[in-house]
Structure formats: structure tokens, C-alpha cells
Amino acid sequence: MGRANIDITVRIPGPPVPGRTTFASSPATTTAGGKSLNQALAASRAGVHTSLIGNAGDDHWGAFLYRALTDAAVDVSCFHLVPSASTGIAVIEVDPDGENRIILAHALETELTGEQVRTRLAGLRASVVVAQLDLQPDAVDAVFRHHRAETLIGNLVPHSTLGSAALAPLDLFVSNEAEAAAILGRHHDDPTVAARELRELGPRTAVVTAGPRGAAYSDADDTALVPAQHVNVINTSGAGDAFLGTLTAQLAHNLPLFHAVADGVAAATTLVRSGVQE
């Protein structure tokens, strides 16, 4: 449950200089994107039936996203195109090291409401639900109140009016190191420490992705780091989404947490090495 948008990606030779034009090193690419859409694609590719609860504009780009989802066998019965609304667009700059900077412009008309979440959840039978916690508070609250899944997963820094209290209802919370630092109020060099401190805020399990080092997890039984294979990085965009979508699919298949995290790390590594989800 969350956002879908168009990604326009440009590769640049170095940081832009104020007052000077920066020429991209290759043509721009236009792809389906947005965190929840990316996660849905990854989960579907990992072999589970996947639905996306979200909105886009009823325009050319919204139709583009709709086709991308159907082509990936994602159920679109809960993905709606809003009349007279514009589909969100993200501009992504990728530097020679594969690191990215993302600017997202999304239309308020396509933001999920609590009522939309409630009614669409009512029509689904899902063993796992993944929700973006930075959505409007009424939408997040609707997930907490109305989901009937065995496992509820949250992602991203919760909306400011919800704060860290939004982690308590979760079975699993997943963040990257920067998001974990924003929630905890401090950065930890050791991601296992961050994962353990996040779990102390209420979720049964916490996972912190740590880029080339892999991902750390903490639950009632164990706290550990699952290392990533070293690869030459092409593009880190969407790596966290590939991780979470794959992790979700493996948990739906009832794999133990360690193995689900390891498969998520492998999926993210494949993406940064190739630049595309496989």
C-alpha cells in the first residue's frame, strides 16, 4: 500500500555546478516507479500473488503504470486512476558510483485516503500487508485498524504527526540506515544496533538495510547482520524496494527470517549490479 509514480532517470558525470548546465552521460530513461509499485513488482517476480493499493492520475503516465503492473502479473483491482489528477514524477540523478539523488513531485489528489484504504483492504485476502508509513495519517491508521493479514510490515519514516508510535502495531519494520537515524535521533555505525533499538520501539522485528554491507535484523531470538556480495554498482535506485518486495514474498512462503533477509539482500545486489529488477 502506497505510492506509484514515473521515474525519469539521468546519469551524470559528477555533481551539478550552480549556474552551469550538466550534460547527462546517456539518454534519459522513463520507467514505472514509486516505492510501493517497485515493491509489488519485486514480490510478484518472487512468485507470490501481489496486489497494489494505490492511485495515479488518469493520464498517459497513469496508463503507463497500469500496464507495467499488469505486465508483471500484479493485481490492479485496488490500483485506481484518479480523473483530472496528474501522475507523480520522480527525477533521479545517478552518479558514476551508482549513488542517486531523487526529487519526487506527486499530486495530492492521488494520495490515498483512509476511506480508500479501508474499502480496498476489505476486498483483499492477504497473508502479508506492506504499508508506507509516510502516507497521510488517516491512511496509515486505516491499515492498522482494518488489515486482516497475519503479518503487517511498515516501511519508511512515519508521518510526522504519527512519529515512532506508528512502529508499535507492526510485526516487521524495515528501513535503511538514514531512515533509522531519523527515527532514533542518532546514527549508528553498526546497523545491528540500529535494528535492535528500532525493535525496542514496539515492532516484533526490525530490519535495517546497510547498502554494500547487507542488512541487519533483530527479533526476539536473534540480532545479526546478513552480508552482501561485493559487486560493481551500476545504479542503487530501487535496491531497497527490491529487498523489501523479495523479503515479503519469502515471508509469505513461510521462510525463516534469516533466509528471507538473505534472499532480499541477493535481490538488491542483483539490481545494483545490473541497474534493473530481474
Side-chain angles (χ1 to χ4, degrees):
M1 183 204 82
R3 297 189 182 98
N5 55 257
I6 291 293
D7 286 347
I8 299 176
T9 303
V10 293
R11 295 185 177 276
I12 57 176
V17 178
R20 295 183 59 184
T21 299
T22 298
F23 290 91
S25 54
S26 62
T29 59
T30 301
T31 55
K35 296 198 72 65
S36 289
L37 181 144
N38 288 339
Q39 293 161 12
L41 296 182
S44 180
R45 288 169 178 147
V48 293
H49 178 75
T50 306
S51 300
L52 176 61
I53 297 176
N55 296 323
D58 190 6
D59 55 13
H60 170 75
W61 291 131
F64 183 97
L65 298 179
Y66 196 94
R67 288 194 301 271
L69 290 165
T70 56
D71 288 347
V74 174
D75 172 25
V76 291
S77 62
C78 295
F79 181 71
H80 293 185
L81 302 182
V82 180
S84 303
S86 299
T87 298
I89 294 178
V91 178
I92 305 173
E93 298 176 350
V94 181
D95 67 22
D97 294 326
E99 292 298 327
N100 64 77
R101 287 167 291 277
I102 302 174
I103 301 170
L104 174 62
H106 67 273
L108 292 178
E109 299 91 336
T110 62
E111 287 286 87
L112 284 165
T113 67
E115 180 61 17
Q116 289 171 346
V117 171
R118 184 188 68 80
T119 57
R120 297 181 202 180
L121 278 174
L124 292 177
R125 295 178 60 189
S127 61
V128 182
V129 169
V130 182
Q132 285 188 232
L133 300 182
D134 67 340
L135 297 175
Q136 292 301 308
D138 65 327
V140 177
D141 184 64
V143 175
F144 294 160
R145 290 177 179 273
H146 299 292
H147 87 88
R148 294 170 293 177
E150 298 173 7
T151 303
L152 176 62
I153 300 175
N155 182 222
L156 300 177
V157 178
H159 191 280
S160 58
T161 60
L162 296 173
S164 60
L167 275 58
L170 302 174
D171 298 297
L172 170 62
F173 176 66
V174 179
S175 73
N176 61 29
E177 290 181 289
E179 293 159 352
I183 295 170
L184 297 171
R186 58 191 176 278
H187 172 78
H188 291 292
D189 292 331
D190 184 349
T192 62
V193 175
R196 184 167 56 247
E197 290 192 3
L198 286 172
R199 188 170 68 85
E200 292 171 355
L201 295 177
R204 288 198 301 114
T205 303
V207 172
V208 175
T209 58
R213 288 178 291 166
Y217 68 90
S218 180
D219 64 9
D221 299 319
D222 193 20
T223 297
L225 177 71
V226 178
Q229 177 187 4
H230 176 74
V231 296
N232 293 322
V233 175
I234 301 298
N235 185 359
T236 59
S237 302
D241 300 330
F243 171 86
L244 181 48
T246 303
L247 170 70
T248 300
Q250 303 301 48
L251 292 176
H253 284 309
N254 295 316
L255 261 69
L257 178 63
F258 173 84
H259 296 290
V261 172
D263 286 348
V265 169
T269 302
T270 297
L271 185 144
V272 301
R273 180 175 57 198
S274 65
V276 296
Q277 291 201 51
E278 295 183 359

